Amino acid sequence: MEYIENVLYTLIAIQVFYFFIFGMAGLAPHELKLKRGMPFTRFAILIPGYKEDNIIVDTAKKALEVDYPAEYRRIVVLADSFKPETVEKLRLTGVEVLEVSFEHSTKAKSINKGLEYLSQDPPEAVVILDSDNVMAHFFLRKVSDAFQSGYKIIQAHRTAKNRNTPMAVLDSANEEIGNHIFRKGHRNLGLSAALIGSGMVFEFNLFRKYMSQITDTAGEDKLLEMLLLKDRHTIEYFEHAYVYDEKVSTTKNFGKQRTRWLGAQFYFFRHFFFDGVKHLITKGNIDYFDKCFQMALIPKVLLIGLLGILALVDYFSPYLQCNWIVLTAMYYLAMLASVPANMYDAQLARAIFHIPVAMMALIGSILKITKKTATHFEVTEKGHTGDGN
């Protein structure tokens, strides 16, 4: 029993120290070195969507309202399985619409079709949005300055546009913890920021080169990140360039979304972890190994509950040998430090009591994972169209 506890303690301690180190690193500022007075970047904004007729027209209209010269930006909606009337409404807004269809739909397939379409008149850079995303008013101006200053792969600051339910508040906090640890904290320690699937900016030819290697996966952003880091590209994080993203409002959608995410995580762990170890030892590629290591991490919400239980058992029971209370305190401190100060309000306090519900949803998600989870796309229902500003 003591041997099992020591092994479990060691494995969890590694993850706790990982979060603690990057959580503390994220407390320092991270500013990009931007050149002013640079020319405008020619952007193409790709918005892939799958059966999301209820929100895509509003998203397209919001994209057209962003402050940026029209001659320097194209907005292209990649319409997979949309209703004919939705496609017509989209075209009336003034955006470009590329209808796509696949036997097995994935976001990567839609994006590759979009890149093929753009190659007839290629832009300098591509912005990837989800069908519910809204760019901040000056977003394109900011990322244009960054691109012209030499940053060719940028993850913008994706943040919540809704906090309408306790689950949405928890999802919002989880997003900001990820921004703090996996993006800002990583960049402050010299490692690449993590991609998050939308609010991403890429040099066109570079993006097309790597996306052409990705088709049948529901975790295209993670695979893209693996390929980029394996070839030693650096992913920058632009904290002050905002994209507003809808957070899941119900336990059902939370579980559905996490099933897809965890399925992709398990898939990438199986296929890349030991390759990451190999590249660390033989080539000193820390960035690539770090990304592969992230695929072995226990979900943050699940670890909150697990450590809380172990700390209570440690306090009241004489049978545990390791100091779970200290480990739990370190992890909780890392999580608390990673949540922005402006999110500490009554909504967050109420939402904390829903953590057990989120934990049960995560456990249910793990039980639902199949071999097809990482390769088949399933849309998460969304409908909040506010702009988040």
Side-chain angles (χ1 to χ4, degrees), residues 47 50 91 104 132 146 169 172 194 196 219 249 257 264 284 335 351 364 389:
I47 311 176
Y50 176 72
R91 291 200 166 109
H104 299 294
D132 62 297
V169 174
S172 302
I196 201 169
S249 300
Q257 186 185 69
M335 294 297 101
N389 289 287

Side-chain angles (χ1 to χ4, degrees), residues 75-79 82 86-87 90-91 95-99 117:
I75 299 168
V76 183
V77 175
L78 307 173
F82 281 9
T86 302
V87 173
L90 281 169
R91 291 200 166 109
V95 302
E96 300 176 53
V97 183
L98 177 64
E99 294 186 78
Y117 169 75

Side-chain angles (χ1 to χ4, degrees), residues 8 78 131 159 179 223 244 312:
L8 179 63
L78 307 173
S131 58
T159 192
N179 286 330
L223 181 51
Y244 299 98
L312 285 173

Side-chain angles (χ1 to χ4, degrees), residues 50 80 102-109 215-220 256-264 267-268 368-380:
Y50 176 72
D80 186 353
F102 311 99
E103 184 177 354
H104 299 294
S105 293
T106 66
K107 185 177 175 181
K109 289 178 181 178
T215 53
D216 292 317
T217 178
E220 76 294 328
K256 182 188 293 186
Q257 186 185 69
R258 265 51 183 189
T259 298
R260 186 173 74 249
W261 289 3
L262 289 171
Y267 173 85
F268 291 127
K368 291 177 183 177
I369 292 172
T370 67
K371 289 183 179 179
K372 292 183 178 180
T373 304
T375 58
H376 283 63
F377 181 78
E378 186 176 5
V379 66
T380 303

Side-chain angles (χ1 to χ4, degrees), residues 5-36:
E5 184 190 353
N6 287 334
V7 171
L8 179 63
Y9 187 86
T10 300
L11 292 175
I12 293 180
I14 291 171
Q15 176 163 337
V16 169
F17 277 99
Y18 183 89
F19 277 101
F20 186 81
I21 290 168
F22 286 109
M24 295 304 104
L27 294 173
H30 179 68
E31 302 292 341
L32 303 190
K33 297 178 181 178
L34 302 180
K35 300 175 183 177
R36 303 300 178 183

Side-chain angles (χ1 to χ4, degrees), residues 182-200:
F182 295 109
R183 281 166 272 285
K184 189 178 178 184
H186 270 65
R187 288 305 295 133
N188 281 342
L189 292 183
L191 296 174
S192 282
L195 295 176
I196 201 169
S198 67
M200 306 181 297

Side-chain angles (χ1 to χ4, degrees), residues 29 161 169 218 273 300 311 339 354 364:
K161 67 178 179 181
V169 174
F273 182 78
K300 296 187 289 295
V339 177
H354 283 73

Side-chain angles (χ1 to χ4, degrees), residues 75-272:
I75 299 168
V76 183
V77 175
L78 307 173
D80 186 353
S81 304
F82 281 9
K83 297 173 183 176
E85 55 267 35
T86 302
V87 173
E88 181 59 28
K89 288 179 182 177
L90 281 169
R91 291 200 166 109
L92 288 174
T93 67
V95 302
E96 300 176 53
V97 183
L98 177 64
E99 294 186 78
V100 297
S101 180
F102 311 99
E103 184 177 354
H104 299 294
S105 293
T106 66
K107 185 177 175 181
K109 289 178 181 178
S110 291
I111 289 174
N112 278 317
K113 282 290 185 181
L115 294 174
E116 181 182 334
Y117 169 75
L118 290 174
S119 65
Q120 301 166 30
D121 181 19
E124 292 176 82
V126 177
V127 177
I128 302 297
L129 300 180
D130 280 343
S131 58
D132 62 297
N133 286 171
V134 176
M135 295 177 285
H137 195 56
F138 295 108
F139 175 80
L140 289 178
R141 288 180 179 269
K142 289 185 176 183
V143 293
S144 176
D145 284 344
F147 185 83
Q148 295 294 340
S149 298
Y151 302 103
K152 302 304 181 185
I153 308 172
I154 304 166
Q155 174 61 61
H157 186 161
R158 203 175 74 178
T159 192
K161 67 178 179 181
N162 65 301
R163 300 178 77 210
N164 54 315
T165 69
M167 193 59 70
V169 174
L170 285 180
D171 201 15
S172 302
N174 183 65
E175 180 96 286
E176 293 301 342
I177 290 170
N179 286 330
H180 184 94
I181 291 173
F182 295 109
R183 281 166 272 285
K184 189 178 178 184
H186 270 65
R187 288 305 295 133
N188 281 342
L189 292 183
L191 296 174
S192 282
L195 295 176
I196 201 169
S198 67
M200 306 181 297
V201 182
F202 302 92
E203 192 275 326
F204 177 77
N205 290 322
L206 178 71
F207 187 50
R208 189 180 183 197
K209 171 187 173 182
Y210 283 94
M211 279 304 301
S212 67
Q213 304 173 50
I214 305 171
T215 53
D216 292 317
T217 178
E220 76 294 328
D221 55 328
K222 296 307 171 194
L223 181 51
L224 175 61
E225 196 174 348
M226 295 280 191
L227 296 174
L228 288 168
L229 298 184
K230 193 172 184 177
D231 287 348
R232 296 183 180 275
H233 292 285
T234 298
I235 302 169
E236 189 51 76
Y237 176 54
F238 198 168
E239 185 179 15
H240 304 299
Y242 291 96
V243 168
Y244 299 98
D245 177 71
E246 181 176 345
K247 300 294 103 183
V248 293
S249 300
T250 67
T251 304
K252 177 184 175 182
N253 280 337
F254 180 86
K256 182 188 293 186
Q257 186 185 69
R258 265 51 183 189
T259 298
R260 186 173 74 249
W261 289 3
L262 289 171
Q265 180 178 335
F266 291 160
Y267 173 85
F268 291 127
F269 173 76
R270 292 196 309 270
H271 289 81
F272 287 92

